Amino acid sequence: MPQSAFGHVSVWCVSLTQCPCGVPQIPRNNRLMYIHSYQSFVWNCMVSRRIEAFGLIAVPGDLVLRGGTAVLLSKAEAESHSIHDIVMPLPGFDVIYPSHHIGEGYREMLKADGLDIDNMRHRIRDYSLSGAYRHVVLRPHNVSWQVISYDDPRIPMVHTDIEKLQGKPPPVFPTEGQYRALRMEFSLPPSTYATMAIREVLKMDTSIKTQTQLNTTWLN
């Protein structure tokens, strides 16, 4: 979260308990970001629980999309589906939940935060959450990769679109160098993140603390 947003978070927390009229004073884009971030947080927690409970296979009570509509899998149907077919809902009034115990987990988590999973509509449209579905596991498309040798960790590894439009030549790398880098290119749909795909490939910690330490090591 950007540092400039922390002030808005504190204002929001105070406003909800002391002055509800203060919440609309937060810029609308920030309010929506916080709301959608909460939905994503719930989704992440429930997906983690689901994978911990059932692993990377489809099970009865999971959800799949058929023509844009979510349906529950029976035992027989689960045997013909893979984890790549499974979706989980972002909480809202226009979604259904898994029929196994993860569905009840949604209810418990929202209740702990003072929300009623059966009443996600709100008289203020911005706070009325319809929900949505996201796949638990996605395969990236248009994947390509290259191992690059280099000597200077400060040189760019990628020929950016801006540089291409400006007619700048791509970076040239030596055949052999002191260091090696893995350059990957791939496409992902909305609401998925390249950092997570890279984490799965490299099996490295992607926390801010670790990444900051890596930057400090290289730049020093």
Side-chain angles (χ1 to χ4, degrees):
M1 183 179 294
Q3 187 172 0
S4 60
F6 285 109
H8 296 307
V9 173
S10 61
V11 170
W12 194 3
C13 293
V14 172
S15 298
L16 288 175
T17 57
Q18 299 179 4
C19 181
C21 61
V23 176
Q25 304 308 313
I26 301 173
R28 183 173 183 270
N29 287 344
N30 286 50
R31 294 200 312 270
L32 294 179
M33 180 185 70
Y34 302 145
I35 293 169
H36 296 158
S37 294
Y38 175 74
Q39 287 180 293
S40 295
F41 173 68
V42 173
W43 188 90
N44 286 334
C45 290
M46 293 300 105
V47 168
S48 295
R49 289 191 193 179
R50 188 248 173 254
I51 293 177
E52 182 179 6
F54 303 117
L56 297 176
I57 60 172
V59 298
D62 274 336
L63 297 171
V64 297
L65 293 178
R66 292 177 184 165
T69 301
V71 296
L72 293 165
L73 289 180
S74 66
K75 182 177 180 180
E77 290 172 327
E79 294 176 354
S80 63
H81 287 78
S82 76
I83 190 64
H84 296 91
D85 302 316
I86 306 306
V87 297
M88 293 274 282
L90 295 165
F93 61 77
D94 198 28
V95 297
I96 63 173
Y97 297 87
S99 59
H100 44 59
H101 73 275
I102 301 302
E104 187 61 27
Y106 276 91
R107 182 179 299 275
E108 293 170 356
M109 186 170 182
L110 266 64
K111 183 179 180 180
D113 290 329
L115 298 172
D116 181 359
I117 198 171
D118 298 315
N119 186 24
M120 300 295 286
R121 294 183 185 273
H122 196 281
R123 60 184 179 83
I124 300 176
R125 185 175 179 181
D126 284 352
Y127 309 146
S128 193
L129 307 178
S130 61
Y133 299 99
R134 291 179 182 172
H135 282 88
V136 172
V137 176
L138 279 169
R139 291 189 179 97
H141 300 286
N142 306 316
V143 178
S144 64
W145 59 275
Q146 179 184 7
V147 176
I148 298 172
S149 297
Y150 66 102
D151 292 311
D152 185 352
R154 294 175 175 79
I155 64 172
M157 298 289 171
V158 178
H159 192 206
T160 67
D161 291 338
I162 293 179
E163 290 171 338
K164 293 176 183 178
L165 291 173
Q166 293 173 340
K168 294 183 178 180
V172 178
F173 303 100
T175 304
E176 295 183 2
Q178 182 180 358
Y179 307 111
R180 289 198 305 167
L182 174 63
R183 183 170 67 189
M184 295 184 293
E185 296 183 18
F186 50 84
S187 300
L188 292 171
S191 300
T192 54
Y193 300 94
T195 49
M196 297 299 100
I198 294 171
R199 183 186 69 180
E200 293 303 305
V201 172
L202 301 180
K203 304 301 180 184
M204 291 181 63
D205 186 355
T206 54
S207 67
I208 294 176
K209 179 180 179 181
T210 299
Q211 295 303 309
T212 300
Q213 290 174 342
L214 288 174
N215 288 338
T216 301
T217 299
W218 280 110
L219 294 178
N220 289 339

